Amino acid sequence: MRKLLTALTCLLFMAGLVIAAEVTLVKFDKDKKEITVKDGDKEKTYKVSDKTKFSVTDKDGNTKEATYEQAEKRLSNEKQFGKLKLDITTDGDKLTEVKYKGGKGKKQ
């Protein structure tokens, strides 16, 4: 019984460390590698690391990985500030994964 309770406690604790949410891009600082996002009324800044994964979803719903350079180009566009929705996964103040909607789908 003690092992079960310990395992359950560890599971709940670990689930609290990694958080996924849909947020709106406020600004991107490519020099500091920081993304500021807005979740409801709160603004929060997260750091982008070499381990951060980026992926883009096209109009058809197909998802593919994106490079940091591709993501940087999209996130640096000031026209996207306040409009671009991101699905982010965080670990503390670091981003582990960023998903966003991209441009064109497959041409038929």
Side-chain angles (χ1 to χ4, degrees), residues 12 49 84 89 105:
L12 293 174
S49 70
L84 182 63
T89 305

Side-chain angles (χ1 to χ4, degrees), residues 73-84:
K73 184 177 179 182
R74 180 72 186 260
L75 297 172
S76 297
N77 184 351
E78 292 185 13
K79 292 179 183 178
Q80 300 293 324
F81 294 172
K83 297 179 184 177
L84 182 63

Side-chain angles (χ1 to χ4, degrees), residues 65-105:
E65 282 194 38
T67 63
Y68 173 74
E69 290 76 21
Q70 292 170 328
E72 178 183 27
K73 184 177 179 182
R74 180 72 186 260
L75 297 172
S76 297
N77 184 351
E78 292 185 13
K79 292 179 183 178
Q80 300 293 324
F81 294 172
K83 297 179 184 177
L84 182 63
K85 300 286 185 195
L86 305 172
D87 285 325
I88 61 170
T89 305
T90 62
D91 186 5
D93 67 340
K94 295 179 184 170
L95 287 170
T96 56
E97 189 172 8
V98 178
K99 296 179 183 177
Y100 59 92
K101 292 190 179 181
K104 302 173 183 135

Side-chain angles (χ1 to χ4, degrees), residues 43-82:
E43 284 190 11
K44 180 87 173 152
T45 301
Y46 296 101
K47 293 186 185 277
V48 177
S49 70
D50 295 334
K51 295 179 182 179
T52 303
K53 295 180 183 178
F54 295 94
S55 58
V56 59
T57 305
D58 63 20
K59 291 179 183 178
D60 297 332
N62 301 319
T63 302
K64 67 176 187 175
E65 282 194 38
T67 63
Y68 173 74
E69 290 76 21
Q70 292 170 328
E72 178 183 27
K73 184 177 179 182
R74 180 72 186 260
L75 297 172
S76 297
N77 184 351
E78 292 185 13
K79 292 179 183 178
Q80 300 293 324
F81 294 172

